[in-house]
Amino acid sequence: MYPTHLEKTKDRCLIVRWEDGVEHKIPIRFLRDHCCCAKCTREKEPDDLASESASGQLPVLSLAQTMPLDIDKMVPAGNYAYNIQFSDGHSSGIYTFEFLRYLGERQS
């Protein structure tokens, strides 16, 4: 299954139309929150959060992270996925067609 149409909306969603005619509208924030790259997966580990709070360190947002999230660029990664560059500077996630379809179905 592969996408036949991709479109960003003004309300910060990604519309994905699939070869079987199914269409999904996925919020960009939802895509970003479900990135499964190594960095994002590591950021979600509870041990890291516990050690940060024990040391008194708190996360500081960059200017880009305080702005409304958007997709700056979306490029094919081989013939099975897309690499998405988000406006907060994150660009290491690879979203396979299968994973995009899964995320779309969760939003429907």
Side-chain angles (χ1 to χ4, degrees):
M1 195 67 53
Y2 62 89
T4 59
H5 177 82
L6 299 169
E7 179 183 340
K8 282 189 334 180
T9 65
K10 290 181 181 182
D11 61 344
R12 292 190 176 81
C13 290
L14 176 68
I15 293 176
V16 183
R17 190 171 310 127
W18 299 92
E19 65 178 316
D20 62 357
V22 171
E23 185 173 287
H24 294 122
K25 185 175 181 181
I26 309 169
I28 292 171
R29 169 56 59 192
F30 188 78
L31 285 171
R32 177 67 177 89
D33 289 346
H34 288 83
C35 179
C36 53
C37 76
K39 183 178 186 293
C40 289
T41 302
R42 181 158 166 32
E43 285 175 355
K44 295 172 189 167
E45 292 178 5
D47 291 341
D48 291 340
L49 297 175
S51 65
E52 279 182 8
S53 62
S55 70
Q57 294 179 3
L58 300 172
V60 176
L61 296 176
S62 70
L63 178 60
Q65 291 171 314
T66 65
M67 305 303 283
L69 189 67
D70 205 350
I71 292 175
D72 286 343
K73 193 175 186 182
M74 189 168 173
V75 296
N79 60 356
Y80 69 97
Y82 287 98
N83 170 257
I84 301 176
Q85 181 176 337
F86 294 95
S87 60
D88 66 357
H90 185 69
S91 63
S92 58
I94 299 293
Y95 292 78
T96 65
F97 299 162
E98 182 179 351
F99 188 52
L100 275 175
R101 180 85 182 216
Y102 169 76
L103 293 177
E105 289 171 357
R106 288 192 53 200
Q107 286 298 296
S108 299

